[in-house]
Amino acid sequence: MRFYRVQSEWPASEDELAAKLTNVSFEPVGSFSEQSQGFEPPADETPGLCRQIGAATLLRLRRQSRVLPAAAVNEVLDERVTSFSQRTGRDPSRKEKRDLKDEVYAELLPRTVTKSDRIDAMYLRDEQILGIGSASANVSEDFLSCLREALG
């Protein structure tokens, strides 16, 4: 867990915080998007995007990304490069190869599987401490960025 001291104003009630979090609520990743992230209810049976229990507020950020292995892209790219060479009688230039790779990536992306990560957090109102359930600084910074965006 990583802990942060919150210096700015925190919403006074659970409803006020939930209303602000709806601006950055989770939307599933689209067919042509690589990733999506946003807040979701901290527990399955919780209706709102946060849950206040005593002086603690529970939050959850969900990050969803499409998984497209480089090996899969490279395999299809090799086929495209071979086909290009046979059609034109020459190897593709660096730019043409990059364009072929972009084309393969755009073609394969909608057919990939998605992977979701959930990052839980807890804000302790009396201590003004935010605990984020990740040891990774990058993951915690992503959480903080979404929270800043929601709270303004």
Side-chain angles (χ1 to χ4, degrees), residues 24-91:
V24 190
S25 62
F26 176 74
E27 300 276 333
V29 68
S31 296
F32 296 100
S33 300
E34 288 186 46
Q35 64 179 2
S36 174
Q37 66 181 13
F39 290 98
E40 70 176 10
D44 293 335
E45 60 276 347
T46 308
L49 295 178
C50 62
R51 177 77 174 136
Q52 194 163 341
I53 302 171
T57 304
L58 305 178
L59 304 163
R60 176 179 284 167
L61 182 75
R62 181 173 176 183
R63 299 176 356 158
Q64 190 177 60
S65 58
R66 294 200 166 274
V67 179
L68 181 54
V73 173
N74 290 336
E75 184 175 325
V76 176
L77 179 61
D78 288 344
E79 293 170 8
R80 296 278 170 92
V81 167
T82 302
S83 174
F84 180 91
S85 297
Q86 289 173 350
R87 265 193 340 263
T88 61
R90 63 176 180 83
D91 288 338

Side-chain angles (χ1 to χ4, degrees), residues 11 13 23 35 43 52 67 70 73 77 93 102 107 122 128 147 151:
S13 69
N23 297 330
Q35 64 179 2
Q52 194 163 341
V67 179
V73 173
L77 179 61
S93 68
D102 290 344
E107 183 181 308
M122 178 176 60
Q128 294 183 305
L147 189 58
L151 298 179

